[in-house]
Amino acid sequence: MGYITSLFVRFAYFLDASSSYHRAKEFCRTLLEHQHSRLKFYFDIFMVILVVISVFFLLYEVKNPDGHPHLDTFVQFSLIIFVIEYLLRFWIHSDSHKIFLDRYEYAINNNLPFSLMRALLAIVKKKVEYVISPLAIIDLLAILPSYRPLRFLRIFLLFRIFKLFRYARSMKTFTAIITEKKFELFTLAIFASFVIFTGSSAIYIFETNQNPKINTLFDAVYWAIVTMGTVGYGDIVPVTTEGMVVSMILIILGVSTLAFLTSIIVSSFQNKLIELKESRLFAEVDKLEDYIVICGYGRVGEVVAKMLHEDGYKLVIIDNDAEKIKLAQQRGLIGIVADASKSRILGEIGVGKRASQIICATNSDELNVFITLTARSLSKQIIIIARVIKNTHKKKYFLAGANYAFSADETIGLMGAQYISQPISYAALDEMLTENTGVIFDIVTIHEHSCFVNQTVEALGLKEKRLILFGVLCKDNLLPFQFNPTPDFELQSHDMLIIMGRKHHINVLRKLNDKGSAR
């Protein structure tokens, strides 16, 4: 291996090992390409404003060629921003060092000769893909109007306006529609071209030497297009009977063509609007932190969502049924129509990143277990709570990675038995659970910096705070649940206090825990 090749290899490995290099590139990708990034959202707004103002200034210069000092400064500033943006997009389009190392390691592992030239050509080929892409060409041409020595390049001002397609989502949607319907639009364009060519040829044959306004084939083509578009300028009108007949046929075909074009665009927009709405929902989810995902908005999921929503938790509902999601959205919840068992969906809504808990509440054990497996594969930290349909399957949930698994039927059965044996106790418990009395059960987790750590239960002063300690769930204890602990019971970090009392009294204790002050 030659000296130059060795230098390239060492430099590629240096880049591959550099965390600063990867962080910088990831930041640029988030800024320029990550669709749901808040940073990109603000950047796009900034660029749209910059493009619009720079276009107005350049238009102002057309009538005022002497310019203005502030105007010149702004135009130069916008030029610098556009150049930097173009270069950054060029940089992040591909990872050149990875392309290089892939080829190098493939050659080494297979005892093949490594060609530096081929590796460099592969890198250049990848970069050229970006340079000749439509949006990159628009970016490049949008820079030219600001280049003062070549003022005739201001014709490329139009490309700066086209640059807005990169930042405005609605314009991207329109572009996507054009791309998706290119076959139908191409077919329509062929038909319209045939009609225009036939109409212009006919009018040229019938009207030449008869109509002083039609002297060339270009006049005939202009008249045919204006007539097909039903614009009716009136600057060229047929004077012969044959020309009038051609005009009538052309108008009818023009109206039909426009109707066909409109139907294609409208039907595409209807389909695209659904995708656009879903995209905005995902964008809303991206703004959330520490939220709960509820999979299934049936009887159980609806009750769970209602109670958590009333307690102020941030929720994201997923269900296959569009009607159920519509109901959730009407209640002010973020609802997404999707299959929660797909890892792609869970990944897109932040499971494994920003979601803290997931509740599997569908009416199918198979689906709940699969969602549990998928969620656990995405995150080891996320808390998974699963609804069990058949008790025989309960063990499978824990094997799949669920932290908690509960059976609604079992709970109802226990409550029924309690009602028969202890009707008064049950009535009191039911009142508390339904919050008719305003008294609720809640959990306060002692965080590691709380001054509750190493304090006794008596030191909390729960009686003065009008609260009752039902029990303590200990993380590091042989007996994880301590029912009605004694006053000298010592609390540790991550212990969970199961408190009974009114919500505002519990909130006071929670704030003290957060602030680190017990009194």
Side-chain angles (χ1 to χ4, degrees), residues 198-335:
T198 306
S200 57
S201 300
I203 204 72
Y204 183 72
I205 292 171
F206 292 131
E207 296 282 326
T208 303
N209 301 325
Q210 303 290 328
N211 190 337
K213 295 289 182 66
I214 299 179
N215 296 311
T216 63
L217 186 59
F218 178 78
D219 295 334
V221 173
Y222 167 75
W223 170 85
I225 293 174
V226 169
T227 305
M228 265 197 81
T230 66
V231 178
Y233 287 137
D235 53 343
I236 300 177
V237 294
V239 295
T240 63
T241 306
E242 294 84 355
M244 292 178 184
V245 171
V246 172
S247 178
M248 288 188 288
I249 295 172
L250 215 54
I251 289 172
I252 294 171
L253 292 175
V255 170
S256 305
T257 305
L258 289 175
F260 187 36
L261 175 65
T262 305
S263 67
I264 292 173
I265 300 295
V266 169
S267 64
S268 300
F269 258 115
Q270 285 179 337
N271 296 330
K272 208 68 185 176
L273 279 175
I274 298 173
E275 293 179 20
L276 202 60
K277 192 175 179 181
E278 288 180 355
S279 175
R280 288 184 177 177
L281 285 172
F282 281 108
E284 282 185 46
V285 175
D286 276 354
K287 297 175 185 174
L288 300 179
E289 294 287 344
D290 192 22
Y291 53 93
I292 302 172
V293 177
I294 299 179
C295 304
Y297 198 64
R299 288 176 301 172
V300 175
E302 189 177 344
V303 172
V304 172
K306 177 177 178 293
M307 296 185 70
L308 292 176
H309 183 56
E310 289 175 354
D311 287 342
Y313 288 93
K314 291 173 281 190
L315 305 174
V316 176
I317 313 293
I318 303 179
D319 201 299
N320 277 324
D321 192 331
E323 289 299 319
K324 290 178 180 175
I325 291 300
K326 186 178 178 182
L327 181 64
Q329 291 172 346
Q330 288 172 349
R331 292 171 177 169
L333 302 170
I334 297 177

Side-chain angles (χ1 to χ4, degrees), residues 450-517:
S450 170
C451 70
F452 291 172
V453 177
N454 297 329
Q455 294 290 324
T456 62
V457 170
E458 187 177 19
L460 299 183
L462 295 177
K463 189 174 180 181
E464 292 80 359
K465 296 181 176 67
R466 303 177 65 82
L467 295 171
I468 296 174
L469 180 63
F470 184 75
V472 178
L473 194 59
C474 306
K475 186 178 180 183
D476 301 318
N477 199 314
L478 294 175
L479 295 173
F481 181 69
Q482 299 287 329
F483 171 71
N484 191 20
T486 57
D488 60 346
F489 182 85
E490 193 170 289
L491 301 169
Q492 303 298 327
S493 63
H494 305 298
D495 283 356
M496 290 186 280
L497 309 179
I498 302 172
I499 301 289
M500 188 167 63
R502 297 186 186 281
K503 187 180 288 185
H504 59 276
H505 291 146
I506 295 175
N507 287 338
V508 170
L509 182 70
R510 198 187 300 279
K511 287 179 181 176
L512 289 174
N513 179 42
D514 293 339
K515 291 179 180 176
S517 171

Side-chain angles (χ1 to χ4, degrees), residues 47 50-51 54-55 58 75 78-83 85-86 134-147 153-164 166-167:
M47 291 303 291
L50 193 67
V51 168
S54 67
V55 167
L58 288 172
V75 171
S78 63
L79 173 64
I80 292 170
I81 297 295
F82 294 150
V83 170
E85 185 205 10
Y86 181 83
L135 287 176
I137 293 172
I138 289 174
D139 284 345
L140 183 61
L141 294 177
I143 295 170
L144 298 179
S146 298
Y147 191 57
L153 294 176
R154 283 178 180 168
I155 186 63
F156 294 114
L157 182 66
L158 289 173
F159 288 96
R160 188 164 292 185
I161 300 172
F162 292 155
K163 198 172 163 59
L164 293 173
R166 191 185 276 285
Y167 310 113

